[in-house]
Amino acid sequence: MKSFRFRYPTIVFVLLVVVILASLAGIVWNVYNFIAFFQFNVVKGIMYAVVVLLTTLLLVISVSMTFYGRYVIKNNKLFACFGVIKSVYNLDDAIEITLFKKSNKLVLYFKDATYTVVVIDPADYDEFVIAVREVNPQIIFDKKIEGEDLPNG
């Protein structure tokens, strides 16, 4: 099993931190409101309890995405784990990995004409490609410069 940490762009990381802080504030505020209003108005109390549950769920998802986002190669599959959210790709169906030099993006293409952009530290690209090709040696690796196939003029 090989694991590669997901590398969020700075703006995404900042937004995740903002969501975490807003969720914490929402939980505190709605717990206070639940305690304050439940004895006077049961319906409002129940609404605040539901909002506490939803903001707690949002907090769990955002914290897990921030700290546990990774790609895992295991049992001929690539697992994209964004915290509690997981996507599974069968590496037997992968046909090509392309590194686009200009944008420094690594893209994994599949037989069914789908693809996924692999968002890891560029220093880990070589190790990732080697790990994927150990599972499926038929996968082609290519480096391209965007726009190199366009005619001049």
Side-chain angles (χ1 to χ4, degrees), residues 85-97:
I85 301 167
K86 292 183 182 174
S87 298
V88 181
Y89 303 95
N90 189 348
L91 291 177
D92 292 332
D93 294 336
I95 56 173
E96 181 178 1
I97 299 174

Side-chain angles (χ1 to χ4, degrees), residues 17-84:
V17 170
V18 168
V19 169
I20 290 169
L21 295 174
S23 297
L24 287 171
I27 290 169
V28 169
W29 177 252
N30 286 294
V31 165
Y32 168 78
N33 283 330
F34 173 77
I35 292 168
F37 286 103
F38 189 72
Q39 61 189 356
F40 301 114
N41 189 340
V42 175
V43 174
K44 272 192 176 183
I46 291 172
M47 287 185 348
Y48 286 123
V50 169
V51 173
V52 167
L53 290 174
L54 292 175
T55 52
T56 302
L57 178 65
L58 181 62
L59 177 66
V60 168
I61 290 171
S62 56
V63 166
S64 69
M65 286 179 71
T66 303
F67 297 108
Y68 300 107
R70 62 185 24 92
Y71 292 94
V72 177
I73 299 171
K74 180 178 164 183
N75 299 332
N76 291 356
K77 298 194 183 318
L78 173 66
F79 297 89
C81 306
F82 303 104
V84 295

Side-chain angles (χ1 to χ4, degrees), residues 2 4 71 73 78 91 94-100 105-108 118 120-143:
K2 302 262 181 158
F4 300 90
Y71 292 94
I73 299 171
L78 173 66
L91 291 177
I95 56 173
E96 181 178 1
I97 299 174
T98 302
L99 173 62
F100 291 97
K105 299 284 183 198
L106 193 64
V107 181
L108 181 59
V118 179
I120 59 175
D121 189 340
D124 293 333
Y125 283 172
D126 290 339
E127 188 180 345
F128 180 84
V129 170
I130 290 169
V132 168
R133 292 190 74 208
E134 282 175 357
V135 172
N136 182 355
Q138 303 299 322
I139 297 173
I140 300 166
F141 177 66
D142 192 16
K143 292 182 181 181

